[in-house]
Amino acid sequence: MSEPGTRRVVVTGLGAVSSAGIGAAEFTAAIRAGAPTTSEISSFDTTGFPHVHAGEVKDFEPREWLRRIDPGQWGRSSQFAASAARLAVADAGLAEEDLAAARAGSVMGTTSGESAVIEELVAEWAADSLKSMTPGRVAAAPAGRIAAAVNHELGLTGEALTLATACSASNYALGYAYDMVAGGDADYMLAGGADSLNRWAHAGFFRLGALAEEVCRPFDVDRSGILTAEGGVALLLEPYERAVARGARMYAEVLGYSVNCDAEHMVHPDPTSIAACIRDAHRNAGVTPEQIDYICAHGTGTRTNDATEVAAAREVFGDCIPPISSIKSIIGHTMGAASGFGALICCQALYEGFLPPTANVEQVDPALGAGVDPVPGSARPARPQVVENHGFAFGGNNAITILGRVS
């Protein structure tokens, strides 16, 4: 992360495209209500799957949100990312020409890249031959197009980086963007992530035994797994002084972050490594465990993840674990966008004053130990000052971001 004495970095714009709604306000209202937005899958044939629920973005028409790029030339993940970024810029009250003229870029996270495009191409190949694949869809397949779509849509000339660190990718992106702005290499950065729902990822999680049948219930004694999901999210970062000068609304300050990789097991998280990442994030942000008022958990709803995440938190916080909730219970697991949605709701929690809830909790698993508060039901009124956002991924890629109320 950036060295002490560099520029303060704040979040001034939020954009979301999700099953919980399009736009930060609609998304936040759905999360605060705590009502799951998952449903039966309609975007691909679920014949043969015993588990057919997911967090699908319904009725998404990219031409309603995009102004420059032709949606037909870009994949669904890129459309999500570019739409969320445009929403974030509008939310920040920035004129597009001012942003395009500044040192501005984007960094977006993903797990599966343009998975829907790849599925189309594989189907064409299997039906006929390699030569039968549509050239325009081949051009839309590279994962790097996700960040490129953001820059194309907004006319940005700075860096356009896509990070494929799976389910922690948006937190990696947020940390990278923070460094760019804090270190003076950029005046504005859009950070977030995007992934689209696809049959092969759904099948993969089913084969792992990680899919819930209909309901994702993190921390509950009867939790049984994740629900796959899709969407795009973007946060606009800029220097504190610039935000003050232009009278911008400041949702939160990015205080610091940490990333590590334990490389211990492909799918089994390591509590010691996660605890080390949390401690490093606290040190880099200049905070102590006692100052953390809320944890936005990775909280997938699998038995292993939730137990490991709580065990790691207990290593750091002892028996005084802050309220810890999972919005995946509401929107499903959006893969590379997941920790970006977590960061967005953390910003809103700091700005509006609430703790995001965990839906579907009927009985907290006693095996998790005493003192675990998943904020069950709907949002809880609160005035958090410092919050912690978790992102964990296959291969032990851990990323923790720390956000604070702007003072």
Side-chain angles (χ1 to χ4, degrees):
M1 64 165 291
S2 298
E3 294 297 324
T6 53
R7 301 193 295 184
R8 293 175 64 186
V9 179
V10 293
V11 179
T12 57
L14 303 172
V17 178
S18 77
S19 64
I22 296 178
E26 191 172 326
F27 175 84
T28 301
I31 297 298
R32 294 187 70 157
T37 61
T38 52
S39 59
E40 287 194 22
I41 296 168
S42 61
S43 60
F44 62 82
D45 183 5
T46 59
T47 301
F49 283 107
H51 301 71
V52 298
H53 284 72
E56 201 167 33
V57 181
K58 305 287 189 181
D59 302 320
F60 172 65
E61 175 45 65
R63 286 179 174 81
E64 290 184 18
W65 312 101
L66 301 174
R67 301 291 178 269
R68 290 188 178 180
I69 67 173
D70 176 2
Q73 297 179 7
W74 301 80
R76 188 168 170 87
S77 297
S78 293
Q79 293 169 13
F80 285 155
S83 298
R86 179 165 284 287
L87 286 163
V89 170
D91 186 55
L94 273 172
E96 187 178 332
E97 57 270 21
D98 292 338
L99 181 66
R103 296 181 305 160
S106 66
V107 53
M108 306 299 289
T110 191
T111 294
S112 301
E114 287 296 0
S115 54
V117 174
I118 292 171
E119 283 195 333
E120 291 174 23
L121 293 171
V122 170
E124 290 180 346
W125 187 356
D128 191 351
S129 67
L130 186 63
K131 292 181 179 180
S132 72
M133 294 193 298
T134 305
R137 302 317 283 159
V138 173
R145 302 237 323 157
I146 295 175
V150 173
N151 279 32
H152 275 263
E153 173 64 21
L154 296 169
L156 309 182
T157 57
E159 188 163 4
L161 175 66
T162 303
L163 297 175
T165 45
C167 305
S168 57
S170 286
N171 258 358
Y172 274 82
L174 184 57
Y176 189 97
Y178 166 78
D179 278 343
M180 290 287 288
V181 177
D185 296 309
D187 293 321
Y188 298 103
M189 286 294 291
L190 285 147
D195 266 300
S196 50
L197 198 64
N198 62 88
R199 182 182 176 87
W200 59 267
H202 194 78
F205 279 102
F206 174 69
R207 291 291 293 166
L208 284 171
L211 279 187
E213 186 172 352
E214 289 187 21
V215 177
C216 177
R217 50 179 84 250
F219 309 113
D220 190 89
V221 67
D222 292 324
R223 67 190 184 278
S224 59
I226 76 166
L227 293 179
T228 55
E230 64 180 357
V233 59
L235 288 75
L236 181 73
L237 277 60
E238 64 180 284
Y240 171 80
E241 292 79 6
R242 182 180 286 259
V244 170
R246 69 181 188 87
R249 169 182 51 198
M250 293 179 277
Y251 288 104
E253 180 173 359
V254 184
L255 300 178
Y257 74 97
S258 180
V259 300
N260 69 10
C261 180
D262 55 71
E264 178 67 24
H265 193 280
M266 180 55 71
V267 297
H268 196 297
D270 178 65
T272 301
S273 178
I274 292 170
C277 194
I278 295 172
R279 291 191 184 98
D280 287 344
H282 290 176
R283 183 181 64 252
N284 293 339
V287 300
T288 65
E290 294 74 23
Q291 291 177 279
I292 303 297
D293 298 314
Y294 164 72
I295 298 172
C296 189
H298 188 59
T300 61
T302 66
R303 303 201 69 79
T304 297
N305 176 91
D306 296 359
T308 300
E309 188 163 13
V310 169
R314 204 174 291 281
E315 281 192 39
V316 177
F317 296 96
D319 291 329
C320 298
I321 298 174
I324 177 170
S325 71
S326 172
I327 64 172
K328 290 182 178 68
S329 61
I330 300 168
I331 63 171
H333 192 335
T334 53
M335 307 300 159
S339 53
F341 282 120
L344 187 156
I345 206 64
C346 281
C347 288
Q348 291 284 49
L350 290 163
Y351 187 74
E352 295 184 358
F354 67 91
L355 299 183
T358 305
N360 309 315
V361 176
E362 296 179 3
Q363 179 185 350
V364 177
D365 187 355
L368 298 176
V372 176
D373 174 12
V375 195
S378 58
R380 181 184 303 165
R383 296 294 291 174
Q385 300 297 311
V386 182
V387 301
E388 180 174 311
N389 183 40
H390 287 182
F392 312 138
F394 285 175
N397 287 299
N398 306 312
I400 309 288
T401 51
I402 308 294
L403 300 159
R405 186 183 297 274
V406 179
S407 60

